[in-house]
Amino acid sequence: RLGSLNVGSGSQFNASGKGYWGGKLKNLPGNGPGAGLAMMGGGYGGAGGKANGVNGMPYGSATAPVEPGSGGGAADDNTRTGGNGGGAIVIESVGAVVLDGSLLADGDNGVGTHAAGGSGGGIYVQCPTIAGVGTLSAKGGLGQGLWGGGGGGGRIALVYDPVQQAAVPN
């Protein structure tokens, strides 16, 4: 637990591609609870994309997304690897959070024709108040070629005290 946190402009917490691994060998699935099978995108907040077959399915909590994203499936040779899922950023603060920088938990793109993208990861911020003009992103990675499915989006939750937040100047 933090006393308070200030993420300044130009600063970032970057967990992109730090989740479950994508498939790294011919036609192997990704890893994680929402892993995509061969050429299928990883899932987390949403299902991964698919051309045919079984894609990665959603999992985890929408109100406390503290899990990382799942990897996408590899394609039909060892150079066409699935993207890793986004990692998890968890911030619990007893004081104010000021976010003018970035919190990033994006999934990686698939590498090579027909490789699938990893899902976005999780961002969970719990604090009394939050302010700033920063960026939060947990998008899925892109699938490649005709058959590579894109990764599903991740999950983001900001949990704050509505009474205290109402007193924060705009």
Side-chain angles (χ1 to χ4, degrees), residues 12-168:
Q12 61 181 243
F13 286 87
N14 190 343
S16 295
K18 304 297 184 196
Y20 290 104
W21 282 23
K24 301 302 178 199
L25 297 173
K26 181 178 181 179
N27 291 326
L28 283 181
N31 294 283
L37 296 181
M39 299 184 283
M40 305 299 146
Y44 182 22
K50 64 178 182 174
N52 57 21
V54 179
N55 57 330
M57 297 306 293
Y59 62 94
S61 170
T63 58
V66 298
E67 297 179 78
S70 292
D76 53 359
D77 78 27
N78 290 340
T79 65
R80 300 173 183 178
T81 59
N84 295 342
I89 297 173
V90 178
I91 297 171
E92 295 177 330
S93 177
V94 296
V97 170
V98 178
L99 176 64
D100 287 317
S102 301
L103 303 181
L104 307 172
D106 298 331
D108 285 343
N109 297 337
V111 177
T113 305
H114 310 310
S119 76
I123 298 175
Y124 177 65
V125 179
Q126 180 183 12
C127 57
T129 63
I130 189 164
V133 294
T135 300
L136 294 97
S137 179
K139 64 185 178 186
L142 299 175
Q144 303 299 318
L146 183 61
W147 301 105
R155 296 183 185 268
I156 298 173
L158 303 175
V159 180
Y160 55 86
D161 181 314
V163 173
Q164 292 185 53
Q165 186 69 32
V168 174

